[in-house]
Amino acid sequence: MSVLAQKPPLIERLFITKLWNKEGIYRVKICKGGMWVEVTVDDMFPCEPNGNPIFSGCVNNEIWVMILEKAYAKVHGSYFLLKGGYVNEALLDLTGLPTSCYNLKDEYVVDFIRNGQFWELMKYFENEGYLLSLSTYGEERWNKNFTRKEK
């Protein structure tokens, strides 16, 4: 979502319900399998015993991130099924547009990097307004009881 948030109109177009409402019911669009699906969610979010949201949080009382995450989790079956995966797959679901993924360890990408063409491609993508991200393998943050692991 942070990649998508660089272009606010892309976030705004996902929300059918655009304003806070006292009923706490929101409609969101997600592109799954090439088809836009409308999802209804409420504003009841899973929280830790201290009241903090378990998954994403909000800044300045904005709840759009938690609403979008809840809708995305609903489309995929649960919050816990969202762990892992690839950013380009999420961007496909949230934009409906084709994506590309380059593994920096693949031999052809390594050659592309060595000869400078990869950097030129990234500059081209940036100049054309493409959404760009870089990912690394994350760490497991949850134990089998779905609570945060202690560090």
Side-chain angles (χ1 to χ4, degrees):
M1 279 188 266
S2 62
V3 173
L4 203 62
Q6 294 175 38
K7 298 188 184 291
L10 294 177
I11 293 284
E12 291 171 22
R13 73 185 209 143
L14 296 173
F15 285 84
I16 299 166
T17 308
K18 304 227 183 248
L19 300 174
W20 174 86
N21 64 77
K22 65 182 178 179
E23 294 81 17
I25 304 296
Y26 299 90
R27 302 269 300 150
V28 177
K29 297 184 296 188
I30 301 205
C31 184
K32 198 65 189 149
M35 303 290 293
W36 285 98
V37 177
E38 293 184 5
V39 183
T40 302
V41 295
D42 60 31
D43 61 3
M44 302 291 288
F45 305 106
C47 292
E48 296 175 337
N50 65 6
N52 290 327
I54 292 177
F55 303 104
S56 63
C58 63
V59 177
N60 300 326
N61 292 324
E62 293 180 346
I63 63 169
W64 71 266
V65 170
M66 294 188 297
I67 290 169
L68 186 55
E69 180 184 48
K70 188 170 187 175
Y72 198 65
K74 188 173 182 178
V75 166
H76 287 86
S78 76
Y79 282 95
F80 297 103
L81 292 175
L82 298 183
K83 66 181 185 176
Y86 296 96
V87 175
N88 66 303
E89 293 171 354
L91 287 174
L92 174 62
D93 291 344
L94 296 173
T95 65
L97 300 171
T99 63
S100 295
C101 183
Y102 299 93
N103 184 332
L104 301 181
K105 293 182 179 181
D106 286 348
E107 189 176 325
Y108 81 94
V109 177
V110 170
D111 290 340
F112 209 37
I113 292 169
R114 279 193 192 119
N115 68 25
Q117 289 177 320
F118 191 75
W119 179 247
E120 292 304 317
L121 182 63
M122 292 300 107
K123 289 191 320 186
Y124 171 78
F125 287 163
E126 175 68 21
N127 290 336
E128 291 295 314
Y130 288 40
L131 298 172
L132 301 173
S133 72
L134 182 65
S135 302
T136 61
Y137 292 104
E139 64 182 66
E140 182 59 51
R141 296 181 4 190
W142 307 99
N143 67 24
K144 65 181 177 182
N145 297 319
F146 302 120
T147 57
R148 288 186 194 266
K149 287 183 176 180
E150 298 299 321
K151 290 191 176 199

